[in-house]
């Protein structure tokens, strides 16, 4: 009987250790974890004399303050240029903060809700070809935005996970350069499943 009990205990201990090893191999988040992600995009197109180029980089870092809640910060830089005889260049730099609630963070797969706020400053330059001479004009604008979104996180290894997200509710306000210019206020509601974002996270 004693041998049977010892064998059962050993079997249970082995099963628990194996389950813990599998859980670790499958990843998952816990309190104190740090993850980094972001976006890098480059687009270039040409149709006849029309040329358009755009570049964006937006690194993001998050920290789990509790088992379910992560907070973080992000930076962003964008550059857009359009040419068709005349040309226009738009560059922007900004920063933001976000908070997330993960429903099952320790699991390989988890859904999350995210609230974020960001601030962007844009420098807009226009070059107009008048009688063979280029006349330059530029103005600066500022934009503030808040958004609520949802997403999912799936670990493909103990450190790397795939992430997908979609915006649900958003508001932004652009001063269009100020100096008496009318502001552009934008409000959006409803998930646009044609605009789902995908990314990769690395967990430390």
């Amino acid at each position: 009987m004693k041998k049977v009990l010892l064998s059962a205990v050993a079997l249970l201990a082995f099963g628990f250790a194996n389950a813990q090893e599998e859980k670790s191999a499958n990843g998952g988040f816990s309190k104190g974890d740090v993850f980094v992600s972001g976006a890098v995009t480059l687009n270039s197109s040409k149709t006849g004399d029309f040329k358009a180029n755009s570049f964006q980089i937006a690194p993001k870092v998050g920290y789990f303050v509790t088992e379910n809640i992560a907070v973080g910060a992000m930076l962003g830089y964008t550059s857009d240029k359009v040419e068709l005889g005349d040309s226009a260049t738009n560059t922007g730099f900004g920063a933001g903060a976000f908070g997330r609630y993960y429903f099952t963070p320790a699991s390989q797969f988890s859904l999350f809700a995210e609230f974020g706020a960001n601030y962007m400053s844009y420098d807009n330059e226009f070059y107009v070809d008048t009688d063979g001479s280029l006349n330059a004009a530029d103005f600066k604008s500022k934009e503030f935005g808040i958004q609520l979104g949802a997403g999912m996180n799936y670990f493909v290894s103990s450190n790397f996970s795939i992430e997908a997200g979609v915006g649900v509710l958003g508001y932004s306000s652009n001063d269009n350069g100020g100096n008496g210019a009318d502001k552009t206020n934008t409000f959006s509601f409803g998930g646009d499943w044609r605009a789902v974002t995908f990314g990769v996270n690395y967990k430390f």
Side-chain angles (χ1 to χ4, degrees):
M1 182 67 177
K2 186 182 291 185
K3 288 183 178 180
V4 173
L5 287 175
L6 288 174
S7 298
V9 170
L11 188 62
L12 287 173
F14 175 77
F16 178 77
N18 188 55
Q20 290 297 102
E21 186 176 339
E22 286 184 1
K23 183 177 179 181
S24 175
N26 289 337
F29 290 117
S30 60
K31 182 179 178 181
D33 282 345
V34 176
F35 66 89
V36 293
S37 62
V40 178
T41 59
L42 177 64
N43 292 297
S44 180
S45 63
K46 180 180 180 182
T47 305
D49 293 330
F50 177 81
K51 299 178 183 178
N53 296 286
S54 65
F55 171 75
Q56 178 186 31
I57 182 170
K60 176 187 289 188
V61 60
Y63 173 75
F64 274 81
V65 294
T66 70
E67 295 294 331
N68 297 84
I69 298 174
V71 297
M74 49 192 166
L75 296 175
Y77 172 79
T78 64
S79 177
D80 300 285
K81 185 174 182 180
V82 176
E83 295 182 41
L84 182 61
D86 305 334
S87 67
T89 302
N90 174 284
T91 56
F93 179 80
F98 66 91
R100 287 181 177 179
Y101 182 86
Y102 285 79
F103 293 92
T104 55
S107 302
Q108 184 178 8
F109 171 81
S110 181
L111 299 175
F112 65 83
E114 176 179 301
F115 176 79
N118 58 74
Y119 172 83
M120 293 288 293
S121 177
Y122 296 98
D123 188 3
N124 309 277
E125 298 181 352
F126 300 92
Y127 296 89
V128 183
D129 189 352
T130 305
D131 298 327
S133 61
L134 287 175
N135 297 317
D138 67 272
F139 72 94
K140 300 181 184 297
S141 61
K142 301 178 180 64
E143 182 176 271
F144 172 78
I146 55 176
Q147 56 278 327
L148 179 66
M152 55 79 62
N153 193 84
Y154 180 79
F155 275 89
V156 294
S157 71
S158 59
N159 295 98
F160 285 97
S161 67
I162 298 172
E163 179 180 299
V166 63
V168 177
L169 184 67
Y171 170 79
S172 65
S173 179
N174 192 310
D175 69 358
N176 291 317
N179 297 321
D182 292 332
K183 292 184 179 180
T184 299
N185 297 310
T186 305
F187 176 81
S188 60
F189 174 74
D192 185 355
W193 297 104
R194 299 166 300 177
V196 176
T197 60
F198 293 94
V200 176
N201 291 336
Y202 180 80
K203 182 190 74 173
F204 291 94

